[in-house]
């Protein structure tokens, strides 16, 4: 028995010590109670760590959803800028439109949004929507020949799919 642990001699044999620094298990059950509180504290700590991780994921998801919602509203404007660049013949005006396009693209990159590469790539249904098919025997089957509308993604999440035209080789049957 430890010097700090004195037992009552009554029938219940309760420990009258406030603190027990017993290294060995004593008859009063102090070590069991100590282990029970330690396990409880460890469980609470683990639950708090899980809560913190879940909260962080929820905040990150909400932020990305907000960015995606706002950017989706601006994508038609970016499309209009790209079409305007193709139609403008005046060099000074074209320079100004290209500057606007560059700043818009840099802003998207700062938000973690990138344009989906399409032209010259193989068709990927998780990134591209086919709107037309061309036949060009000089290209491989399933290669994207033109991009009608650019697609965008944030990380692995697609905001808008690229609308593309792909190459489809003719099937020649041998007799």
């Amino acid at each position: 028995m430890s010097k700090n642990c004195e037992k009552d001699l009554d029938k219940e044999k309760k420990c009258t010590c406030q603190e027990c620094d017993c290294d060995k298990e004593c008859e009063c059950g102090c070590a069991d109670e100590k282990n029970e509180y330690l396990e409880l504290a460890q469980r609470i700590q683990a639950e708090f760590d899980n809560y913190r991780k879940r909260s962080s994921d929820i905040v990150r998801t909400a932020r990305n959803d907000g960015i995606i919602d706002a950017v989706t509203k601006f994508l038609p404007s970016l499309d209009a800028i790209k079409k305007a660049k193709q139609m403008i013949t005046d060099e000074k005006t074209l320079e100004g439109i290209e500057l606007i396009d560059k700043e818009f693209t840099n802003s998207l990159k700062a938000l973690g949004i990138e344009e989906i590469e399409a032209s010259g790539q193989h068709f990927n249904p998780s990134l591209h929507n086919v709107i037309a098919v061309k036949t060009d025997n000089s290209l491989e089957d399933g290669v994207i020949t033109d991009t009608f509308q650019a697609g965008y993604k944030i990380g692995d999440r697609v905001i808008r799919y690229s609308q593309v035209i792909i190459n489809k080789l003719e099937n020649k049957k041998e007799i």
Side-chain angles (χ1 to χ4, degrees), residues 23-47:
D23 290 336
K24 299 177 184 173
E25 195 164 323
C26 63
E27 293 176 15
C28 65
C30 298
D32 292 338
E33 191 174 337
K34 181 175 148 183
N35 287 337
E36 184 179 321
Y37 285 127
L38 179 62
E39 288 174 7
L40 178 63
Q42 289 171 339
R43 277 196 306 272
I44 290 171
Q45 181 66 41
E47 288 175 11

Side-chain angles (χ1 to χ4, degrees), residues 4-172:
N4 292 337
C5 185
E6 298 175 13
K7 295 187 340 183
D8 272 342
L9 297 176
D10 65 355
K11 295 179 184 176
E12 295 179 9
K13 293 187 180 181
K14 289 185 180 179
C15 181
T16 58
C17 64
Q18 295 292 34
E19 267 185 51
C20 181
D21 57 359
C22 304
D23 290 336
K24 299 177 184 173
E25 195 164 323
C26 63
E27 293 176 15
C28 65
C30 298
D32 292 338
E33 191 174 337
K34 181 175 148 183
N35 287 337
E36 184 179 321
Y37 285 127
L38 179 62
E39 288 174 7
L40 178 63
Q42 289 171 339
R43 277 196 306 272
I44 290 171
Q45 181 66 41
E47 288 175 11
F48 182 72
D49 287 343
N50 290 337
Y51 166 77
R52 190 173 52 223
K53 290 174 187 173
R54 278 192 312 270
S55 295
S56 176
D57 288 344
I58 290 169
V59 168
R60 188 178 323 107
T61 301
R63 180 180 183 276
N64 281 346
D65 288 347
I67 289 171
I68 289 169
D69 190 44
V71 167
T72 302
K73 306 274 191 272
F74 287 105
L75 288 180
S77 299
L78 184 59
D79 293 336
I81 290 169
K82 290 185 186 288
K83 286 179 185 175
K85 282 175 43 177
Q86 294 172 350
M87 297 186 323
I88 294 176
T89 56
D90 181 47
E91 286 187 36
K92 291 291 185 183
T93 306
L94 184 59
E95 252 180 61
I97 296 295
E98 284 177 348
L99 181 63
I100 293 168
D101 184 34
K102 181 181 175 185
E103 288 300 318
F104 206 119
T105 303
N106 288 341
S107 296
L108 291 176
K109 284 182 184 175
L111 293 171
I113 297 171
E114 57 189 62
E115 188 173 332
I116 297 171
E117 291 294 322
S119 293
Q121 304 289 319
H122 279 280
F123 172 70
N124 181 348
S126 62
L127 299 174
H128 310 118
N129 283 336
V130 177
I131 60 168
V133 176
K134 285 185 179 178
T135 300
D136 185 352
N137 290 330
S138 66
L139 295 173
E140 292 180 41
D141 192 39
V143 171
I144 298 171
T145 59
D146 294 308
T147 303
F148 180 74
Q149 185 179 55
Y152 296 90
K153 64 181 183 172
I154 183 168
D156 291 335
R157 187 172 170 187
V158 175
I159 297 172
R160 181 175 79 182
Y161 292 88
S162 297
Q163 294 187 11
V164 298
I165 301 169
I166 65 167
N167 187 47
K168 183 75 174 170
L169 296 178
E170 291 180 10
N171 290 335
K172 295 182 182 180

